[in-house]
Amino acid sequence: MIRQSELIQQFTYLEQHVLLTWIEEGVVEPHRDEAGYLFDRIDQARVALACDLHYRMGLEHASLPVILSLIDQLHDARNRLKALTRAVCEQPDAIQHDITRRLSGTDEADTSGTKP
């Protein structure tokens, strides 16, 4: 973990008041102790992304929480899809084949006329 001053040194264009605003808005949620904020690797990566979006791509401060929330949702969906893929791969071949057939829309076993 690193302190706030070390983090700001990593990003020469990041101003302290901007970082504090991001913390207040929940863009980044560092740990805190008596001496101030502590940033782990995930916090540092999130600040790097916020810096890229704001300083390099010109995204307004007000848009950052929305954009980062959408990125978080995509990341969560990706992790869930990976877990689902692992679970399917652990199934017998016949079940894997049935799942693959249903996902491709060629489920001929569905005679009800409706698809799930």
Side-chain angles (χ1 to χ4, degrees), residues 8-15 18 47-48 51-52 55-56:
I8 290 174
Q9 288 175 357
Q10 284 183 10
F11 304 98
T12 55
Y13 42 85
L14 177 59
E15 300 164 292
V18 171
V47 168
C51 284
D52 282 346
Y55 291 106
R56 292 188 179 156

Side-chain angles (χ1 to χ4, degrees), residues 81-99:
L81 185 56
K82 283 182 181 180
L84 177 61
T85 300
R86 283 192 301 272
V88 168
C89 288
E90 293 171 357
Q91 301 305 310
D93 288 343
I95 292 174
Q96 288 183 38
H97 179 72
D98 187 44
I99 291 170

Side-chain angles (χ1 to χ4, degrees), residues 7-8 15 29 38 41 47 51 60 73 75 78 85-88 91 93 99 108 110 112 115-116:
L7 182 71
I8 290 174
E15 300 164 292
E29 298 175 355
L38 290 164
R41 287 184 179 186
V47 168
C51 284
E60 295 296 324
Q73 290 175 42
H75 182 72
R78 182 176 178 225
T85 300
R86 283 192 301 272
V88 168
Q91 301 305 310
D93 288 343
I99 291 170
E108 297 168 6
D110 183 9
S112 67
K115 298 222 177 207

Side-chain angles (χ1 to χ4, degrees), residues 17-90:
H17 76 278
V18 171
L19 178 60
L20 294 175
T21 299
W22 290 349
I23 293 169
E24 290 171 11
E25 293 176 352
V27 170
V28 62
E29 298 175 355
H31 303 277
R32 189 174 185 146
D33 65 9
E34 316 80 41
Y37 292 110
L38 290 164
F39 298 83
D40 61 21
R41 287 184 179 186
I42 293 173
D43 298 325
Q44 293 172 54
R46 196 162 178 87
V47 168
L49 177 57
C51 284
D52 282 346
L53 291 170
H54 176 67
Y55 291 106
R56 292 188 179 156
M57 296 181 178
L59 196 69
E60 295 296 324
H61 285 289
S63 302
L64 280 176
V66 174
I67 299 299
L68 291 174
S69 174
L70 292 171
I71 290 171
D72 290 342
Q73 290 175 42
L74 283 172
H75 182 72
D76 183 54
R78 182 176 178 225
N79 286 339
R80 288 175 183 237
L81 185 56
K82 283 182 181 180
L84 177 61
T85 300
R86 283 192 301 272
V88 168
C89 288
E90 293 171 357

